[in-house]
Amino acid sequence: MSTISTTSWAEPLLRGEGPQQRRAIAKAITLLESTRADHRAQADELLTALLPHTGRAFRLGISGVPGVGKSTFIEALGLFLIAQGHRVAVLTIDPSSTVSGGSILGDKTRMEQLSVHERAYIRPSPSSGTLGGVAEKTREAMLVCEAAGYDVVIVETVGVGQSETAVAGMTDMFVLLQLPNAGDELQAIKKGVMEIADLVVINKADIDPDAATRAQAQITSSLRLLGMHGSAGHSLHDESLWRPRAMQLSALRNEGVDRFWEKVAQFRTLQTANGRLEARRQKQALAWMWERIETGLKQAFRGHPAVREQLPGMVAAVTEGRIAASTAARQLLASASVST
Amino acid sequence: MSTISTTSWAEPLLRGEGPQQRRAIAKAITLLESTRADHRAQADELLTALLPHTGRAFRLGISGVPGVGKSTFIEALGLFLIAQGHRVAVLTIDPSSTVSGGSILGDKTRMEQLSVHERAYIRPSPSSGTLGGVAEKTREAMLVCEAAGYDVVIVETVGVGQSETAVAGMTDMFVLLQLPNAGDELQAIKKGVMEIADLVVINKADIDPDAATRAQAQITSSLRLLGMHGSAGHSLHDESLWRPRAMQLSALRNEGVDRFWEKVAQFRTLQTANGRLEARRQKQALAWMWERIETGLKQAFRGHPAVREQLPGMVAAVTEGRIAASTAARQLLASASVST
């Protein structure tokens, strides 16, 4: 990667067209994903240059367990949006990639028509790193796509581990895809995913309409109960606030995608008018900053020579009960010259 | 507090009796709660001296929403255990104290008979500090009580915020008290508390036996579903492993306390034999060490002169979208001389 000025990076990305812009986007994202210190400095410069051109897109997070039909849904939604004149970017956080280095979700062929459409940009998950690192790269890639004029950015993840929280933490609206199967509901509640969902979509409703209707009723009731004791508790009758809800559709038959987008539009209108969309983005940005700071502090601590030397012995002493955990923590901090 | 040797601290605590030992315990806990650096050094020395005498007690965590009858239950349980020859310490993590400086749970008069019994030691929640700080002091106080020969240590909290996780993270067995009211169940699942419960006790079963029986059936079914996809999923038929379960009793009528203690004994026997009790304690100690390290790193970072100077401006720039959050994080880390 050559060292060229930020302007020459940003120009084709902001104002380029077709393949030229596409190449600029790919190049920018590759730069952002680089771990080299000089690239990182360039990347920060580029991000700062792009930032004024971001924020106008709608950021839609989509999650669901394997088999729920995410690809089919996103393909149907993406083509629907393009037909309406939108430009659609699809980014992916694949928690499996952080473990195996492989990527289930990265396979572009999952979305046959969307992936070759000139008004769509599909980028697979960064292929390695911690979840936090992958999430950071995805957030930055999202900004790049927004600067390039994509006005709907979809961030997709599979329902494993903490990736849903990461996706909900970088999007304006978090949608949970569910199968018409009540057993899955409890899992989603247990994992705290139901609680962060702005909309629950029961996909594959065509397979068993009765089950889908039962699931919708049950999820609606759960969403109400989950919201009752939360911060929205007082707002059950406040029409200016969005209340999480459940709907059903069939992405495979392309039934209900229009109704889905109506709900998204309604969410966006309400949350823009009541200021919650802006507040959510500000909160997300600050949370992101602190998360990266904490990660950086831990990395630096673990890399400190004195810590590297003493840590194995301390871990053994704590495990064997020879030293209290709090004492060990204080000693390790002191040897890294961290004053507490 | 005078500077005396650790030995003179530890002796009356380990081998003293009656009021003399009681005074030594109180003095040790006060030392542990002190924020003065010289006290902290003494406290670490004391902890290390006491540590070989700890670990033989059974650590029982108890949580439940206000009104569920925790005090009545702990009083009944404590007196039952004393009658069986045990010595019982009751420690409290009161999340309200970290906010208000007051303490709901600290009121000793809540347990009239237990609090005056010579074989019981009741210590209210530290009266201020963050939840992490309060939890650390409680963990340390637990070690002091164990060294003094209390063989059952009960750590109690009220079901608010993250305090249940803190209590489950320092005890051998975590018990959730519930009312015979199915609506509360979903709240407990939502908060992730049901998932960490080793035993759910439906208290006040005498008020409405039918409701209690329904609640027990429903919670039993939820516990099974919650466990199915978890790490215990493969072990449903393994008799050497404990499976979370639900029972009902009435602490007010003193009905079922013996059955409760039978279940605890069964848990302890199983988890000791299969090695999970020891593994849990080791995991807790390491998690505790890392938690305190992270807290220390964050405190030092926030206290760094360059960070104090730049942070307000950075927060404003991130909030207003003038700088990317990840860029801000890198710049702040760099100005605190943290290399990433």
Side-chain angles (χ1 to χ4, degrees), chain B residues 225-301:
Chain B
L225 278 163
L226 288 171
M228 263 169 58
H229 296 250
S231 57
H234 55 283
S235 64
L236 277 174
H237 301 289
D238 185 341
E239 293 296 325
S240 76
L241 293 176
W242 173 262
R243 285 188 302 283
R245 58 198 72 176
M247 64 172 294
Q248 37 177 305
L249 53 73
S250 167
L252 192 66
R253 295 195 178 186
N254 211 350
E255 284 170 3
V257 174
D258 48 349
R259 281 186 292 110
F260 170 78
W261 192 247
E262 270 168 33
K263 291 229 184 330
V264 173
Q266 196 187 341
F267 174 91
R268 191 178 187 180
T269 305
L270 271 178
Q271 300 290 87
T272 304
N274 66 25
R276 295 212 168 189
L277 196 123
E278 185 59 23
R280 179 168 171 159
R281 286 187 172 184
Q282 292 181 354
K283 204 175 141 193
Q284 287 174 341
L286 285 178
W288 178 16
M289 181 185 86
W290 281 112
E291 193 196 306
R292 298 322 291 168
I293 287 173
E294 285 174 26
T295 304
L297 290 173
K298 276 187 271 183
Q299 276 173 355
F301 178 79

Side-chain angles (χ1 to χ4, degrees), chain A residues 154-193:
Chain A
I154 296 173
V155 186
E156 172 200 18
T157 193
V158 70
V160 173
Q162 300 299 308
S163 62
E164 293 104 336
T165 315
V167 169
M170 69 176 74
T171 51
D172 298 325
M173 181 178 195
F174 181 68
V175 173
L176 175 65
L177 257 61
Q178 288 274 95
L179 289 169
N181 175 352
D184 290 346
E185 190 205 345
L186 192 66
Q187 288 303 315
I189 296 175
K190 168 190 167 182
K191 291 175 64 196
V193 181

Side-chain angles (χ1 to χ4, degrees), chain B residues 109-126:
Chain B
T109 59
R110 293 187 310 133
M111 301 169 205
E112 278 190 12
Q113 295 180 63
L114 195 62
S115 61
V116 295
H117 203 292
E118 58 168 6
R119 295 182 67 81
Y121 185 84
I122 301 186
R123 177 92 185 178
S125 190

Side-chain angles (χ1 to χ4, degrees), chain A residues 181-247:
Chain A
N181 175 352
D184 290 346
E185 190 205 345
L186 192 66
Q187 288 303 315
I189 296 175
K190 168 190 167 182
K191 291 175 64 196
V193 181
M194 186 70 78
E195 197 182 347
I196 56 175
D198 297 301
L199 180 64
V200 177
V201 170
I202 299 147
N203 191 21
K204 304 194 181 178
D206 54 308
I207 294 175
D208 186 344
D210 288 346
T213 301
R214 278 197 305 275
Q216 183 177 354
Q218 195 161 344
I219 291 171
T220 301
S221 148
S222 295
L223 288 170
R224 194 174 302 126
L225 278 163
L226 288 171
M228 264 169 57
H229 296 249
S231 56
H234 56 282
S235 63
L236 277 174
H237 301 288
D238 185 342
E239 293 295 325
S240 77
L241 293 175
W242 173 264
R243 283 188 303 283
R245 59 199 74 179
M247 64 172 295

Side-chain angles (χ1 to χ4, degrees), chain A:
Chain A
M1 209 174 291
S2 58
T3 332
I4 46 174
S5 78
T6 303
T7 319
S8 65
W9 279 93
E11 274 308 310
L13 203 157
L14 289 170
R15 273 167 280 278
E17 278 184 4
Q20 189 212 7
Q21 190 190 47
R22 201 173 275 273
R23 272 196 305 277
I25 295 173
K27 222 167 108 183
I29 295 180
T30 304
L31 176 71
L32 292 168
E33 290 180 359
S34 170
T35 51
R36 266 177 50 184
D38 57 330
H39 288 167
R40 201 56 255 183
Q42 274 186 286
D44 278 337
E45 218 181 301
L46 177 65
L47 272 182
T48 307
L50 294 181
L51 214 56
H53 307 281
T54 66
R56 284 185 297 263
F58 189 72
R59 302 166 181 171
L60 185 65
I62 292 179
S63 179
V65 295
V68 76
K70 286 185 295 301
S71 311
T72 312
F73 177 66
I74 294 172
E75 167 119 323
L77 175 62
L79 295 172
F80 170 83
L81 291 173
I82 287 173
Q84 303 232 320
H86 294 286
R87 289 178 70 200
V88 180
V90 181
L91 306 171
T92 297
I93 294 187
D94 183 350
S96 63
S97 73
T98 68
V99 178
S100 64
S103 177
I104 317 172
L105 293 177
D107 187 0
K108 283 192 186 186
T109 58
R110 292 186 312 133
M111 302 169 204
E112 278 190 11
Q113 294 180 63
L114 195 63
S115 61
V116 296
H117 203 292
E118 59 169 6
R119 294 182 68 80
Y121 184 85
I122 301 186
R123 176 92 184 179
S125 188
S127 60
S128 66
T130 61
L131 176 59
V134 167
E136 168 158 293
K137 297 310 160 201
T138 306
R139 282 170 189 269
E140 293 178 348
M142 183 168 77
L143 298 177
V144 170
C145 293
E146 288 185 11
Y150 290 89
D151 64 334
V152 178
V153 181
I154 296 173
V155 186
E156 172 200 18
T157 193
V158 70
V160 173
Q162 300 299 308
S163 62
E164 293 104 336
T165 315
V167 169
M170 69 176 74
T171 51
D172 298 325
M173 181 178 195
F174 181 68
V175 173
L176 175 65
L177 257 61
Q178 288 274 95
L179 289 169
N181 175 352
D184 290 346
E185 190 205 345
L186 192 66
Q187 288 303 315
I189 296 175
K190 168 190 167 182
K191 291 175 64 196
V193 181
M194 186 70 78
E195 197 182 347
I196 56 175
D198 297 301
L199 180 64
V200 177
V201 170
I202 299 147
N203 191 21
K204 304 194 181 178
D206 54 308
I207 294 175
D208 186 344
D210 288 346
T213 301
R214 278 197 305 275
Q216 183 177 354
Q218 195 161 344
I219 291 171
T220 301
S221 148
S222 295
L223 288 170
R224 194 174 302 126
L225 278 163
L226 288 171
M228 264 169 57
H229 296 249
S231 56
H234 56 282
S235 63
L236 277 174
H237 301 288
D238 185 342
E239 293 295 325
S240 77
L241 293 175
W242 173 264
R243 283 188 303 283
R245 59 199 74 179
M247 64 172 295
Q248 39 177 304
L249 54 73
S250 167
L252 191 66
R253 294 194 178 185
N254 212 351
E255 283 170 5
V257 173
D258 49 349
R259 280 186 293 112
F260 170 78
W261 193 249
E262 271 168 30
K263 292 233 183 326
V264 174
Q266 196 187 340
F267 174 92
R268 190 180 187 177
T269 305
L270 271 178
Q271 299 290 85
T272 305
N274 66 25
R276 294 212 170 189
L277 196 122
E278 185 59 21
R280 178 168 173 159
R281 286 186 173 185
Q282 292 182 352
K283 203 175 144 194
Q284 287 174 341
L286 285 178
W288 178 16
M289 182 185 86
W290 280 112
E291 192 195 307
R292 298 322 290 169
I293 287 173
E294 286 174 25
T295 303
L297 290 173
K298 275 187 273 183
Q299 275 173 356
F301 178 79
R302 281 177 178 271
H304 192 285
V307 173
R308 289 166 70 109
E309 197 195 311
Q310 292 174 31
L311 190 59
M314 281 293 189
V315 166
V318 168
T319 306
E320 293 158 17
R322 283 183 281 114
I323 184 169
S326 48
T327 307
R330 280 187 286 271
Q331 289 188 9
L332 285 167
L333 287 169
S335 56
S337 309
V338 178
S339 56
T340 49

